[in-house]
Amino acid sequence: MPLPALAITLLLLFTLGYAAVCAGSPFGRCRKCKGLGFALKHDRKGRPKRGKHCRRCDGNGIRIRTGRHLYNLAARIHRDGTR
């Protein structure tokens, strides 16, 4: 198989796989707080302690995936344009 055809096939498989993940699970864990909703701090003895509220996910621990966000934008533009 020629190299460009292989690259196109792999790119298509990656794109379709990511679209399936976004459709099946539109939310992922927050990258900043790792899904906890707050920062994890340690006290002087080394024990884990609840830290500050995560501003990126607003304390939910989840975020919307980039692909799902783009799909929502496209659907909103289509819906507003066809009314």
Side-chain angles (χ1 to χ4, degrees):
M1 181 179 273
L3 188 61
L6 180 64
I8 290 171
T9 304
L10 290 176
L11 187 63
L12 185 64
L13 285 175
F14 178 76
T15 303
L16 291 176
Y18 184 68
V21 167
C22 288
S25 177
F27 295 101
R29 293 185 348 177
C30 177
R31 290 185 296 262
K32 187 173 184 181
C33 65
K34 297 179 183 70
L36 293 175
F38 53 88
L40 198 60
K41 296 176 79 175
H42 297 282
D43 62 2
R44 293 172 64 178
K45 293 183 179 181
R47 293 183 298 221
K49 184 177 167 185
R50 184 183 181 109
K52 291 173 67 174
H53 182 75
C54 181
R55 293 186 303 171
R56 181 180 285 179
C57 65
D58 197 29
N60 293 324
I62 58 174
R63 61 170 177 83
I64 192 161
R65 294 184 193 273
T66 306
R68 185 60 182 210
H69 181 70
L70 292 175
Y71 173 76
N72 289 347
L73 285 175
R76 187 177 303 126
I77 290 171
H78 177 70
R79 185 175 57 244
D80 291 343
T82 56
R83 284 188 181 166

